[in-house]
Amino acid sequence: MSDSTQLALPSGGGEPTYRPGGVFARPNTTKGWRSWVTTVDHKKIGVMYGATALFFLLVGGIEALLIRVQLWAPRGTLLSADLYNQVFTMHGTTMIFLVVMPIGAAFANYLMPLQIGARDVAFPRINAFSYWIFLTGGIFLNTSWFLGGGADGGWFNYAPNNGVIFSPSNGIDFWNLGLIMTGIGSLTGAVNLITTVLNLRAPGMSLMRMPVFTWMTLVTQFLLLFAIPVLTVAQVLLMMDRLFDANFFNVAKGANPLLWQHLFWIFGHPEVYLMILPAFGLVSEMLPTFSRKPIFGYPFIVFSGVAIGFMGFGVWAHHMFVSGIGPISVTTFALTTMFIAVPTGVKILNWTATMWGGKLQFTSPMLFSIGLVTMFTIGGLSGVTHAVAPADTQQTDTYYIVAHFHYVLFGGAFFGFVGAFYYYWPKVFGYLLNEKIGKGNFWLMLLGFNLTFAPMHVLGLQGMSRRIYTYDQGYGFELWNKVATIGSFVLATSVAIFLFNIFYSKAKAKSLPAVGADPWDSRTIEWMTPSPVPFYNFDPIPTVSRVDDFWYRKYGETKDGQLVRIAATDDVVQKRTDGKGIHLPSPSYWPLVVAIGLPIVGYGLLYTLWLALIGGLITVGGLFGWALEPPDDPDAGHDDDHAPDDHSASGGEVAPADVSEEADDEVAADKEVETVG
Amino acid sequence: MAEPLTAHPTVAEADAHAPVAHIEHDTNTGISNTKLAMWLFLASECLLFGGLISTYLLYKNPLEGPSGADLFDIPFTSASSFVLLMSSLTMVLAVSAIERGDHHRMRIWLGSTALLGSTFVAGQIYEFTAFYREGLGFTTSRFSSAFYTLTGFHGVHVTVGIIMLVVLVMLSIRGRLPEHRSETVEVVGLYWHFVDIVWILIFAIVYLIP
């Protein structure tokens, strides 16, 4: 909007007086379960994202253990071939869509507004919706276990295997519709978080002063914004095929199965980068803190992340080297794939250089961060070997690939996330996780992880295929499979220890003094807030003057580069206030209503169209309730506590938020409703 | 107003006198949240339609059953396309009306936009039934599936746009669309123009390129 359209604002009390009561009144609970169900606070939503992701981690972990037990010895009999297909498919789907991406979203939601000095995200209710639709979509996806079996086509679900001919059960429909739902949530979340980063930064917080994690969040959300629609297209086509007999993947009518692969991987490759980038960002927060040095080459870290984001869209066909796309395509994508290793390498070098010469403190977050750097490097190196197309022809669909992507996803993303859990736990919950247990947790996880996945390199090079439910004697697969299975249980133990540590530390915390705002002597402004963070985040909003602003409020440098303290931490951090005069959005339950409506539409499409109609009505009704909700407060996060008389302008609900919301939900809902009528 | 409690005078002072945005137009980018969100949403919609158009181009040749050339009534579709493009004009007039503060005119123009959009959708439904009678069912050939999905998706987008326009008119009648939130109309306008532009592409690619 140009300045010429800056509107003259009515002075004082511009609030419309439209306030229906009863069912349309906005809830205002701040305690108890209702406050969680109706919350629009980015911090609560972040916590719920994390908790839900950890729950799904257990689900996916059990599936992984089933796989490993089945492969313990030749001719395993735990799972039938068909059930094995379902288990590894659901393992992959759960771990990717319901664990790693949501944990990234959890940190993005919780930390990013704090790191840029905002009160909340740009559209708090859309934020709540993103979470609820992720939850209901994930539950919808997993109910397939009780309704005729899970999806059995692999997480990538290639055509024509995903058609009704080869997969007659409802599993793939559940997969399809469930992921369309979680995709809608990711898309709305992406729009929301990008808007937040671009629009709601604190004074002085220019883009090149933002913490690295915020940068990585921004890149991640852009990747989601452009990748998710492509997956949605693929899944809509598949839905048309499976439910309405269309011919998109019907080879008998001349369809091209490669269409699915192209659409899926145009989404799928950016997807793998958007899973790892949040972890990269978190590591870039932790390493400088525990090296007591600024991150080495901040612009390089930022721009390599942006470059990874851009290039991530140009490498998708390296997943299809043996699908017959032709030598020219293969060569092209081999080159782009080798090229994308460069910015990733830049990051690794930067992290190493950050630690170089620093005063390292080996706390648990630091150990996990170093674990990420080393394990990700191993995974990255095996990844570059895939870029060599002739080698990939041999490696593809073997356990070598499985080893590679577990090294980058588990050894990369997940190590970073666990480290970040240890690092940010005091900020979120107000108590530290036990360090001793944390270190034990790290070493056990590292051991279990390497025991599980390192042998898979060997197995893959020996020629053991992925996705086979058993193997015969005499191929030499027995030893390494046994090692991997033992390792997987060590790994499961380490995850259990992490969960135990949460409860143990919580119990112990009662007898310990409360943790301060800044337990780690950190660098970025989210540590200025009291722990746990109050509902208003900052009071007052800080003004930022440089990268790692908070650090330089505490420390200065002498002429010869020695650190000197210039202010005590207690003087620099903010004290808890009553938050008076800070106006934040009221809770709302419409996001939940809309998110409950969509899975009902999904069940309706699979079982009876009447149900789809009911679900569609709930969804559309929820959207209208949302759009017409009393305008008690702005969906705009930037509100100033210093001048209460200025609130009039931002008063009122911002309808377009919901309207754009309607645009993508009703596309989904209407699409389904229209196919009914 | 909370008292800053830091003992660090310079920081505290800087914080206390920080120029914090009071209103939406005062964001870091100078674009309001809702408008930026709509731009971002439309960016992702580009990818959605890109995928559908690519699919259509891949399956353009039907192999069996009637082809597009056998069916398309170019004059009729041109007329309905013209109607849709005119709705962009009325949308612009609605936006300029609300910027002048003329609620009555805005409602009239929004209503005409919705009416023109509905005319387009009705034309599409008529077209679909005509094609269906001539033997192009949804499951007839790869071309038919791709064609109906692509154009149907666009039709759904137009329908959603019509719903948004009706909601705006309702809001305006209830007096919940004051001048300082006239941007709402503009943001819906962005969506509407986007859907029109996509139709130009689809019309050219599906109907006009033999």
Side-chain angles (χ1 to χ4, degrees):
Chain A
M1 170 159 293
S2 68
D3 289 343
S4 59
T5 44
Q6 276 283 358
L7 301 149
L9 298 164
S11 53
E15 299 267 348
T17 49
Y18 173 78
R19 291 233 168 90
V23 72
F24 289 104
R26 287 190 84 146
N28 52 7
T29 41
T30 52
K31 296 233 169 358
W33 64 271
R34 273 200 194 82
S35 72
W36 289 91
V37 171
T38 60
T39 187
V40 294
D41 178 7
H42 72 96
K43 297 180 287 297
K44 280 188 169 174
I45 290 167
V47 171
M48 291 197 294
Y49 256 118
T52 313
L54 286 177
F55 165 74
F56 281 124
L57 173 74
L58 299 181
V59 175
I62 289 167
E63 284 155 357
L65 291 179
L66 286 175
I67 293 172
R68 286 314 324 162
V69 172
Q70 165 70 15
L71 294 175
W72 164 256
R75 301 269 170 184
T77 50
L78 178 69
L79 307 173
S80 66
D82 184 42
L83 193 58
Y84 185 84
N85 285 350
Q86 295 172 26
V87 169
F88 78 71
T89 300
M90 291 302 282
H91 165 70
T93 308
T94 304
M95 286 299 191
I96 286 168
F97 291 100
L98 308 180
V99 178
V100 175
M101 283 170 74
I103 295 181
F107 282 113
N109 257 307
Y110 198 100
L111 293 178
M112 185 270 291
L114 290 171
Q115 290 196 328
I116 59 173
R119 292 240 183 273
D120 205 329
V121 291
F123 306 106
R125 290 182 304 167
I126 294 184
N127 207 21
F129 170 77
S130 302
Y131 167 73
W132 290 116
I133 191 67
F134 149 64
L135 178 68
T136 53
I139 290 171
F140 176 85
L141 183 63
N142 275 289
T143 51
S144 61
W145 284 116
F146 311 106
L147 296 168
D152 54 0
W155 85 276
F156 36 79
N157 218 350
Y158 280 168
N161 249 348
N162 57 15
V164 272
I165 297 168
F166 295 101
S167 184
S169 82
N170 267 341
I172 287 184
D173 296 314
F174 276 105
W175 181 92
N176 215 357
L177 298 168
L179 291 190
I180 288 177
M181 287 168 214
T182 55
I184 291 169
S186 299
L187 187 68
T188 52
V191 168
N192 193 351
L193 295 179
I194 295 172
T195 308
T196 307
V197 176
L198 293 182
N199 265 356
L200 302 182
R201 282 166 281 128
M205 176 65 79
S206 65
L207 285 176
M208 289 314 282
R209 287 179 191 166
M210 294 196 307
V212 179
F213 175 71
T214 300
W215 259 110
M216 291 306 121
T217 299
L218 184 63
V219 175
T220 301
Q221 303 305 328
F222 265 109
L223 285 171
L224 272 169
L225 188 75
F226 293 124
I228 292 282
V230 183
L231 177 70
T232 307
V233 167
Q235 289 177 324
V236 165
L237 303 186
L238 182 60
M239 181 182 84
M240 298 284 181
D241 262 27
R242 288 186 62 99
L243 300 178
F244 310 113
D245 280 342
N247 303 313
F248 292 108
F249 306 113
N250 179 357
V251 183
K253 298 260 188 180
N256 185 347
L258 275 187
L259 174 68
W260 172 270
Q261 287 198 30
H262 276 293
L263 287 174
F264 185 85
W265 287 119
I266 289 172
F267 149 80
H269 202 84
E271 159 82 14
V272 302
Y273 285 108
L274 68 86
M275 285 191 276
I276 190 68
L277 284 172
F280 281 0
L282 291 164
V283 166
S284 308
E285 299 296 324
M286 291 185 269
L287 284 175
T289 298
F290 298 112
S291 308
R292 305 185 63 71
K293 275 176 62 189
I295 187 109
F296 180 87
Y298 172 89
F300 282 88
I301 283 267
V302 168
F303 285 121
S304 65
V306 176
I308 287 173
F310 269 107
M311 291 155 79
F313 280 94
V315 295
W316 79 86
H318 69 212
H319 297 268
M320 305 161 60
F321 278 166
V322 293
S323 64
I325 51 174
I328 292 175
S329 308
V330 168
T331 312
T332 310
F333 281 96
L335 286 171
T336 55
T337 306
M338 291 177 197
F339 202 47
I340 203 169
V342 174
T344 322
V346 167
K347 277 186 145 43
I348 304 275
L349 290 173
N350 271 305
W351 292 327
T352 317
T354 302
M355 290 187 275
W356 187 270
K359 292 195 192 68
L360 302 187
Q361 301 166 317
F362 290 103
T363 56
S364 2
M366 182 64 166
L367 289 174
F368 277 103
S369 306
I370 297 171
L372 181 147
V373 175
T374 49
M375 294 302 112
F376 186 86
T377 306
I378 296 172
L381 290 174
S382 67
V384 175
T385 63
H386 302 318
V388 183
D392 185 70
T393 311
Q394 295 303 311
Q395 295 156 6
T396 190
D397 280 348
T398 68
Y399 264 81
Y400 190 83
I401 296 271
V402 179
H404 155 69
F405 67 65
H406 281 93
Y407 262 85
V408 289
L409 277 177
F410 197 117
F414 198 72
F415 268 67
F417 288 148
V418 178
F421 278 135
Y422 276 94
Y423 184 56
Y424 283 108
W425 206 267
K427 179 51 60 189
V428 179
F429 297 104
Y431 62 92
L432 281 159
L433 291 177
N434 184 298
E435 269 297 298
K436 272 208 182 75
I437 302 179
K439 284 175 185 162
N441 178 3
F442 167 73
W443 289 112
L444 198 67
M445 195 176 266
L446 191 74
L447 171 77
F449 166 75
N450 281 295
L451 266 184
T452 310
F453 298 112
M456 291 185 186
H457 290 113
V458 184
L459 281 173
L461 293 178
Q462 283 178 338
M464 180 170 171
S465 313
R466 287 170 77 177
R467 310 185 209 113
I468 49 167
Y469 74 104
T470 190
Y471 50 93
D472 244 334
Q473 281 170 341
Y475 291 103
F477 297 159
E478 291 91 340
L479 169 66
W480 292 119
N481 269 308
K482 283 190 167 54
V483 173
T485 301
I486 292 166
S488 67
F489 278 88
V490 176
L491 200 50
T493 314
S494 73
V495 173
I497 286 177
F498 170 66
L499 297 175
F500 165 76
N501 195 358
I502 292 172
F503 295 110
Y504 175 84
S505 306
K506 189 171 172 60
K508 280 275 182 225
K510 293 187 179 75
S511 55
L512 293 172
V515 69
D518 184 26
W520 307 109
D521 204 6
S522 303
R523 311 181 67 86
T524 42
I525 62 168
E526 74 267 26
W527 298 97
M528 285 175 68
T529 58
S531 304
V533 186
F535 68 92
Y536 51 79
N537 291 2
F538 292 95
D539 187 14
I541 299 264
T543 303
V544 177
S545 56
R546 56 197 297 184
V547 179
D548 292 348
D549 193 81
F550 180 48
W551 175 262
Y552 292 106
R553 292 181 184 213
K554 296 183 290 188
Y555 293 96
E557 275 189 4
T558 58
K559 283 201 180 67
D560 50 359
Q562 291 296 310
L563 275 184
V564 284
R565 227 181 219 289
I566 51 173
T569 304
D570 276 351
D571 298 340
V572 184
V573 296
Q574 299 190 340
K575 304 287 181 291
R576 195 176 290 276
T577 65
D578 56 1
K580 242 177 34 195
I582 298 176
H583 189 62
L584 284 167
S586 301
S588 167
Y589 45 74
W590 294 112
L592 179 60
V593 173
V594 177
I596 285 173
L598 285 175
I600 296 175
V601 174
Y603 286 120
L605 284 172
L606 297 184
Y607 294 106
T608 162
L609 289 180
W610 289 109
L611 203 56
L613 210 58
I614 293 166
L617 285 174
I618 293 175
T619 307
V620 174
L623 287 167
F624 272 89
W626 182 333
L628 302 173
E629 199 163 43
D632 278 352
D633 34 39
D635 251 4
H638 231 149
D639 225 335
D640 178 17
D641 46 318
H642 293 296
D645 53 327
D646 268 325
H647 283 314
S648 56
S650 46
E653 173 47 63
V654 185
D658 319 315
V659 173
S660 62
E661 189 58 48
E662 276 184 20
D664 65 51
D665 293 336
E666 287 208 8
V667 166
D670 275 28
K671 186 173 60 211
E672 284 144 13
V673 173
E674 291 222 334
T675 48
V676 175
Chain B
M1 136 131 215
E3 283 303 309
L5 295 165
T6 59
H8 204 267
T10 53
V11 172
E13 249 175 79
D15 286 346
H17 297 114
V20 178
H22 302 309
I23 55 168
E24 279 187 279
H25 312 301
D26 231 349
T27 55
N28 299 97
T29 50
I31 306 169
S32 80
N33 286 342
T34 44
K35 199 192 276 191
L36 184 60
M38 182 51 92
W39 277 116
L40 292 166
F41 171 67
L42 295 181
S44 85
E45 288 279 279
C46 290
L47 272 286
L48 186 96
F49 280 107
L52 289 167
I53 290 171
S54 310
T55 306
Y56 173 82
L57 285 174
L58 183 67
Y59 292 158
K60 208 167 148 67
N61 174 10
L63 295 183
E64 57 189 290
S67 71
D70 306 336
L71 297 167
F72 292 150
D73 181 357
I74 305 273
F76 175 84
T77 316
S78 303
S80 70
S81 306
F82 177 75
V83 167
L84 189 66
L85 295 188
M86 282 303 103
S87 76
S88 262
L89 175 67
T90 55
M91 189 77 225
V92 171
L93 291 168
V95 172
S96 72
I98 188 68
E99 277 174 358
R100 286 196 315 273
D102 189 341
H103 291 266
H104 181 69
R105 282 250 164 84
M106 178 199 76
R107 276 173 231 158
I108 289 175
W109 287 124
L110 283 181
S112 9
T113 311
L115 197 68
L116 290 168
S118 312
T119 313
F120 172 82
V121 174
Q124 199 169 40
I125 292 168
Y126 165 78
E127 208 176 31
F128 281 5
T129 48
F131 293 165
Y132 183 74
R133 270 194 234 103
E134 291 178 46
L136 189 81
F138 185 61
T139 61
T140 306
S141 63
R142 59 185 202 178
F143 157 76
S144 75
S145 300
F147 169 79
Y148 282 128
T149 304
L150 171 60
T151 48
F153 244 82
H154 181 265
V156 168
H157 274 78
V158 178
T159 312
V160 171
I162 294 166
I163 293 169
M164 291 201 248
L165 294 167
V166 172
V167 169
L168 282 182
V169 173
M170 277 163 52
L171 284 173
S172 172
I173 289 170
R174 285 179 170 188
R176 291 189 51 200
L177 210 58
E179 264 91 295
H180 69 259
R181 285 203 278 128
S182 64
E183 209 186 31
T184 309
V185 183
E186 200 186 340
V187 171
V188 173
L190 282 180
Y191 174 83
W192 191 261
H193 298 313
F194 171 81
V195 172
D196 277 11
I197 291 166
V198 169
W199 179 252
I200 295 174
L201 267 178
I202 293 176
F203 182 57
I205 288 168
V206 175
Y207 290 83
L208 299 183
I209 297 173

